[in-house]
Amino acid sequence: MAHTMIQLRAMRLKAKDQRTMPQIHSLPRQGILPMLSFFLAFIIFHHADAYDPLDPNGNITIKWDVVSWTPDGYVAVVTMNNFQMYRHIMKPGWTLGWSWPKKEVIWSMVGAQTTQQGDCSKFKGNIPHCCEKTPTVVDLLPGVPYNQQIANCCKGGVVASWGQDPASAVSSFQVSVGLAGTSNKTVKLPRNFTLLGPGPGYTCGPAKIVPSTTFLSSDRRRKTQALMTWNVTCTYSQFLARKNPSCCVSFSSFYNETITPCPNCACGCQNNNKCIKSDSKLLSMVGVNTPRKDNAPLLQCTRHMCPIRVHWHVKLNYKDYWRVKVAITNFNYRLNYTLWTLVVQHPNLNNVTQVFSFDYKPLVPYQSINDTGMFYGMKFYNDLLMEAGPQGNIQSEVLLQKDKNTFTLKQGWAFPRKVYFNGDECMLPQPDMYPFLPSSAHVMDSLKFTTVATVLLSVLVAILLSE
């Protein structure tokens, strides 16, 4: 009897659960698919906003070190460290902004300056350097007087990537802040940090108090520390930087005469009406190569309409090695690319034997996978990619050793999986457009026909001789 009662209770609970449970299977299919598509797109773009799978730990960290107190505020050294492996800040350099939480002013700066002074009319006698509620700071240019410099300043805002040149991947300035707190408990941290490097794309988090930075004396026998330190972390998203790619990739090979070009309008065709043909007389005008304040490009007319094209050519095939030629072409008449970087993902980059005209460094974001490498220019040789024109290209060759267990030229294996230029992913052609190996079917048919004909001729000759 007790067993029967337990069964009845279990059946009632199950029926109740079925009545209260949402009946997903009863929803119309046209209602489920949009929901799934929305959530899938949300997940992809939410995680892709500021995450680079080839540089998962890359970011720019801004550190504020309060080094002394003043009667109405403090003096701080602000240091910007670029921990990105292959994304640098090129000319015209970085621009840093924030909002003051109270009525702070900037009395003076060393190694940088604000772009606007703001309304300082309420001050008598000493006039602050900046009275803006949201100051905008830029680096000083090289060659300023020594009394306006500190270490790692005055490079025009140009900051190298960590993987390319760690010593140049830092920028600093000193700021004296007034009308602020004069102790660790009364100082209010700046808010709403923004970073342009030099264009959009960076998103900065809130300032966070961290353990005070320690400094070593010149003789390395004494340690001092900052009175207070806070950090701000900024991450990059290509989706925020621009709507379209900024580069494209084309392919060719020794075993196929067909060249696979960049896709049409790979970087968008919004500049179609403003482009200039390579033989136009307008290129001889004075000032055509001068950059504009808004960094508007002046592109050469092409099918892809990209400022940068990367060409990957499979050049030679040896017994134990194979050879690739890489060429980068600039189609922007108004921009030189300083400290350029090229990142390639390819399975055979784990066996790079020699790179002839570029510097090369393997990138191993995941220790078990070695399929990504960074190419960049040699200092004072080809680290500057000139604007579009006869000098607007650089090239090198790469020798790779074959892995007999994985090496093949079939099905596009010889071409890269991903290509980045200056930290932005380039658009590749569709896989079915890659240069393919010539079909051997007709060759085999010819061999079979020749073999059969030879056998028949031999039989006929034997018959004739026997008669």
Side-chain angles (χ1 to χ4, degrees):
M1 184 68 179
H3 180 69
T4 305
M5 293 296 293
I6 292 173
Q7 286 182 334
L8 289 172
R9 183 176 295 178
M11 292 173 64
R12 290 172 183 170
L13 290 173
K14 183 177 180 181
K16 182 180 179 181
D17 290 342
Q18 289 178 347
R19 288 194 301 270
T20 58
M21 185 181 299
Q23 300 297 314
I24 297 177
H25 62 274
S26 65
L27 291 174
R29 181 174 297 178
Q30 58 269 26
I32 295 177
L33 292 178
M35 290 173 59
L36 292 176
S37 301
F38 170 78
F39 283 114
L40 182 61
F42 174 79
I43 292 172
I44 292 174
F45 286 100
H46 176 73
H47 288 285
D49 269 352
Y51 177 76
D52 187 345
L54 300 186
D55 189 13
N57 300 316
N59 66 72
I60 291 181
T61 300
I62 302 166
K63 182 175 63 174
W64 287 58
D65 291 314
V66 177
V67 294
S68 64
W69 301 113
T70 60
D72 68 337
Y74 59 87
V75 175
V77 175
V78 182
T79 306
M80 184 185 302
N81 288 286
N82 184 10
F83 293 119
Q84 299 175 112
M85 293 302 295
Y86 48 79
R87 186 176 295 107
H88 63 280
I89 297 177
M90 59 184 293
K91 290 181 179 179
W94 54 262
T95 300
L96 181 64
W98 63 84
S99 297
W100 291 119
K102 298 190 293 185
K103 297 182 179 180
E104 292 90 340
V105 296
I106 298 177
W107 283 115
S108 63
M109 298 189 74
V110 180
Q113 63 183 359
T114 61
T115 58
Q116 299 287 336
Q117 183 184 32
D119 184 8
C120 297
S121 59
K122 66 180 180 180
F123 291 90
K124 310 297 181 183
N126 291 335
I127 304 299
H129 176 81
C130 178
C131 301
E132 288 278 313
K133 180 71 174 178
T134 56
T136 301
V137 177
V138 294
D139 194 14
L140 295 181
L141 297 175
V144 298
Y146 287 108
N147 61 351
Q148 299 180 25
Q149 299 183 25
I150 65 168
N152 298 313
C153 84
C154 313
K155 298 181 288 186
V158 176
V159 183
S161 61
W162 186 261
Q164 187 174 6
D165 188 359
S168 301
V170 59
S171 183
S172 299
F173 62 89
Q174 181 179 293
V175 58
S176 177
V177 182
L179 304 183
T182 57
S183 69
N184 291 18
K185 295 182 179 180
T186 57
V187 167
K188 299 295 182 182
L189 276 57
R191 304 167 182 168
N192 303 325
F193 280 85
T194 59
L195 175 64
L196 299 178
Y202 285 95
T203 302
C204 298
K208 296 181 179 180
I209 297 176
V210 296
S212 297
T213 305
T214 57
F215 306 98
L216 273 175
S217 60
S218 57
D219 60 2
R220 307 184 67 83
R221 299 175 64 187
R222 171 177 165 80
K223 282 186 178 181
T224 57
Q225 70 178 41
L227 305 177
M228 186 179 182
T229 299
W230 60 81
N231 280 357
V232 178
T233 302
C234 302
T235 54
Y236 181 83
S237 168
Q238 187 172 346
F239 297 103
L240 297 177
R242 55 186 60 85
K243 295 180 180 180
N244 300 303
S246 58
C247 53
C248 65
V249 184
S250 57
F251 294 141
S252 62
S253 64
F254 68 91
Y255 53 76
N256 193 319
E257 62 182 8
T258 303
I259 297 177
T260 301
C262 288
N264 289 343
C265 293
C267 300
C269 283
Q270 61 272 19
N271 292 312
N272 260 350
N273 299 328
K274 302 176 183 178
C275 66
I276 295 182
K277 295 183 178 180
S278 57
D279 57 351
S280 173
K281 295 181 179 179
L282 295 175
L283 296 176
S284 59
M285 295 176 58
V286 178
V288 68
N289 300 122
T290 304
R292 292 188 176 181
K293 291 183 178 180
D294 59 355
N295 288 328
L298 181 62
L299 297 181
Q300 180 178 322
C301 295
T302 57
R303 294 169 63 250
H304 52 77
M305 290 305 294
C306 288
I308 293 292
R309 183 192 66 195
V310 179
H311 186 74
W312 180 278
H313 175 65
V314 182
K315 186 175 182 180
L316 292 169
N317 185 23
Y318 307 108
K319 179 181 179 182
D320 296 319
Y321 300 89
W322 63 297
R323 199 180 188 99
V324 172
K325 183 177 182 180
V326 181
I328 307 172
T329 306
N330 185 4
F331 291 96
N332 188 352
Y333 288 105
R334 287 195 182 131
L335 185 62
N336 296 330
Y337 290 88
T338 56
L339 300 176
W340 61 267
T341 59
L342 180 71
V343 173
V344 177
Q345 186 180 35
H346 188 285
N348 207 180
L349 288 181
N350 59 347
N351 281 325
V352 174
T353 302
Q354 187 175 0
V355 179
F356 292 90
S357 300
F358 295 162
D359 282 329
Y360 175 78
K361 177 179 292 186
L363 300 177
V364 191
Y366 312 100
Q367 296 299 322
S368 59
I369 303 175
N370 180 17
D371 65 348
T372 307
M374 178 177 70
F375 301 88
Y376 52 100
M378 299 177 179
K379 282 191 175 181
F380 311 114
Y381 176 61
N382 57 1
D383 57 341
L384 175 65
L385 175 56
M386 299 294 292
E387 71 270 359
Q391 304 298 321
N393 67 89
I394 47 179
Q395 54 191 7
S396 178
E397 294 189 2
V398 185
L399 187 66
L400 305 102
Q401 186 174 4
K402 294 180 180 179
D403 183 348
K404 296 181 179 179
N405 295 323
T406 60
F407 179 81
T408 177
L409 292 176
K410 296 180 180 179
Q411 299 177 350
W413 187 92
F415 302 102
R417 308 296 184 263
K418 286 186 177 182
V419 175
Y420 288 65
F421 180 79
N422 275 3
D424 285 340
E425 187 172 356
C426 304
M427 178 174 283
L428 275 68
Q430 293 296 325
D432 57 351
M433 300 294 293
Y434 288 12
F436 56 86
L437 285 169
S439 176
S440 58
H442 66 282
V443 178
M444 294 302 298
D445 291 342
S446 300
L447 289 175
K448 290 178 181 178
F449 176 80
T450 304
T451 303
V452 172
T454 303
V455 172
L456 289 176
L457 182 62
S458 300
V459 171
L460 290 174
V461 170
I463 292 175
L464 291 173
L465 291 176
S466 62
E467 295 179 350

